[in-house]
Amino acid sequence: MAATIKMVAELAGVSVATVSKYLNGGNVYAENRIKVQAAVDALNYKVNEVARSLKTNKTNTIGILAPSIQSIFITGVISQIQYKLLECGYSTLIVDYQMNDDLEKRQLDILLKRQVDGIVIFPRENEKDLVNTIKDQNIPVVTVDNMLEGIACDAVLADNMGGAYEATEELIKHQHKRIGIIAGPAYMYTAKERLKGYFRAHEDYFIGLEEELICYGEYTEQSGYKCFNELMNLREPPTAIFVTNYHMTIGALGAVNERNMKLPEELSLIAFDQLEFASIMRPPISVVEQPLKQIGEKVAEIILRRMKEDWRDFPHIERLKTTLKRTGSVAGNIIK
Amino acid sequence: MAATIKMVAELAGVSVATVSKYLNGGNVYAENRIKVQAAVDALNYKVNEVARSLKTNKTNTIGILAPSIQSIFITGVISQIQYKLLECGYSTLIVDYQMNDDLEKRQLDILLKRQVDGIVIFPRENEKDLVNTIKDQNIPVVTVDNMLEGIACDAVLADNMGGAYEATEELIKHQHKRIGIIAGPAYMYTAKERLKGYFRAHEDYFIGLEEELICYGEYTEQSGYKCFNELMNLREPPTAIFVTNYHMTIGALGAVNERNMKLPEELSLIAFDQLEFASIMRPPISVVEQPLKQIGEKVAEIILRRMKEDWRDFPHIERLKTTLKRTGSVAGNIIK
DNA sequence: TTGAAAGCGTTACCAT
DNA sequence: ATGGTAACGCTTTCAA
């Protein structure tokens, strides 16, 4: 049976109120401080956060609603959020909805029932209702890696357009004119932004866009594989391909192997996302990396501010710079 | 302001006791059921789990204490645990101690203060004290991917010895006689077991062990790189290498590239762990995979049983079979 | 500075 | 079946 504040008070010979004040850093006679601390030690007392939460109406917990916890992007960001929040005395309740709409609702419900003080959500597409539900309860919410259009909500994401622009530009500068893109689902904000970066780079360098060079995948390995083959089966295949996320890159590289193609001689390739294995591929894969740490830090910072009722810059949209890692998967003469 | 049970009771014109009974599936007049449900809907009432927990002394939460949530092994297992527990109405509070002893203690403290009903821990080495602390509080605890020796505790892990045996045997069957191993830290249980499998296979096939072929890494990328080079710099280097975890495999493969070596012609290689990229390497890397899902399921099953006070088979040690994926990174004539 | 007591939202006992 | 009420462990107000 765990010790309670009452037991501590009795052992120390003071009132419960005094113990509470001591524990929360209030003014207590030096003499009593010692007695209370002795009792705490003797009983190995630990405050019951459940009771505290009920009384204070604050759980010091923020919920994180993620589509999956098996993606390095997501866990990297979450890990950083956790770390930052921990410093400020907050815990995180992470729930994973396995890309399933129903489960997502249930999981959000759980977070709400547990009275989390704030929510971080990695939306996929249609969670406007969810976000509104949360806002209705006056719970701060920050979205990550996506923007829910037509809704006022803080959001933190990578500069997807900028990153995609940089990737495309890198290919263009290597003299590529026919650049294929394996894009994400047309309804996803990040996918749209990445595509936009690809478009802009073409415009800026006066290269015409070819419809057939744009293939929409589903951010999955299978679709990456399929799109890659579609692009390479064109009458006039691209000389370079930009793959816009991790899983599709795996699929595309599988197809590269199957076709026994040599990178970068036969094809230049550049990817978007965190690729732990990028450096050990032969050749290493050039990649536009997202700033995981900074994203996590920014999310934590914003949600902490909101929980302190600081709404000055609401809604805040933060786009963080990506990093292009140039390695050996892009070939061609460099112009410029 | 969120609705409370009292507000529901008032609106429905019944007592809070009746509402509570209704919510918890007790016997309530059909007429009242309807009235209460109507009030619940009207107010968008959601039970306050914090208050419920205080009263029932159960949080329906289990804590997961992991060294990091950025490893696919760990997140794969956690994801499965979450999923299974969710079905039974439990949530999971995941905390990540970033391989840091102090942080680990703090995080455990948080779990305890939050009154979790059970704890799953991925220990590294010296968490016997921690586990005892938990047991002292009568909180069920299950360890994953490690065995704390000299302590009675449920444990679920891959059959590390069997998997390592199989990997080594695979190499032996391809006529390799000088097989290097990049082992884990000598103090880690899983590392010891994997090494033991390597030893046993040598014994069973009457191949002498060579001290110099055993290199102890730290389960990190850097150490994998370093060990690989040490092995290949031997006067008589191995013809095959068994790398015993994910990170060291990345390091080793980096060294392979740097040396511009051709797998499997110049060296056979086999790895242990989940390697998402194994199949897209050229050649694909043969790998002994851990049964993530089954590990997660088993953990959930055991902790659920313990929380129900079913201690029949305590302490239960479960070793789950690994799977050898044969691909193209092992060469040699096959004997059998 | 201290302590008695109210009350957070819920459950569960017990009388009705 | 229903409802009044005590109790869970804590914080906070207010009087002393």
Side-chain angles (χ1 to χ4, degrees), chain A residues 92-251:
Chain A
T92 40
L93 194 51
I94 303 166
V95 293
D96 159 349
Y97 58 86
Q98 322 234 359
M99 313 272 192
N100 173 327
D101 288 342
D102 265 2
L103 189 52
E104 185 176 16
K105 286 217 182 63
R106 277 178 62 204
Q107 293 280 33
L108 174 59
D109 226 50
I110 289 177
L111 294 181
L112 261 18
K113 286 183 188 167
R114 290 184 183 261
Q115 319 290 120
V116 293
D117 298 333
I119 292 183
V120 172
I121 175 167
F122 290 74
R124 287 168 308 158
E125 172 201 3
N126 265 329
E127 11 282 270
K128 280 178 217 171
D129 290 350
L130 290 195
V131 170
N132 279 326
T133 307
I134 304 171
K135 288 175 68 177
D136 286 349
Q137 319 243 349
N138 278 316
I139 298 175
V141 47
V142 175
T143 58
V144 191
D145 193 38
N146 206 336
M147 279 266 302
L148 269 14
E149 290 158 284
I151 208 174
C153 186
D154 294 306
V156 181
L157 51 174
D159 177 10
N160 290 286
M161 186 168 81
Y165 184 98
E166 210 179 352
T168 312
E169 185 180 39
E170 169 79 359
L171 296 170
I172 293 174
K173 285 194 174 163
H174 280 82
Q175 306 268 32
H176 292 281
K177 302 252 181 299
R178 285 186 67 76
I179 300 172
I181 180 170
I182 303 184
Y187 53 80
M188 284 202 65
Y189 183 81
T190 56
K192 280 186 276 196
E193 291 287 294
R194 290 174 200 175
L195 198 53
K196 209 180 281 176
Y198 168 85
F199 290 163
R200 288 265 172 93
H202 279 73
E203 286 167 21
D204 289 356
Y205 286 88
F206 308 106
I207 299 180
L209 283 166
E210 297 260 9
E211 198 64 51
E212 64 177 13
L213 292 176
I214 301 165
C215 188
Y216 292 89
E218 294 293 325
Y219 274 171
T220 61
E221 185 174 330
Q222 293 81 351
S223 66
Y225 174 86
K226 187 167 145 283
C227 284
F228 184 90
N229 283 322
E230 280 178 23
L231 289 173
M232 295 313 292
N233 287 340
L234 289 175
R235 213 156 341 143
E236 192 184 348
T239 61
I241 289 184
F242 172 35
V243 197
T244 61
N245 97 328
Y246 178 92
H247 297 103
M248 297 197 298
T249 303
I250 301 242

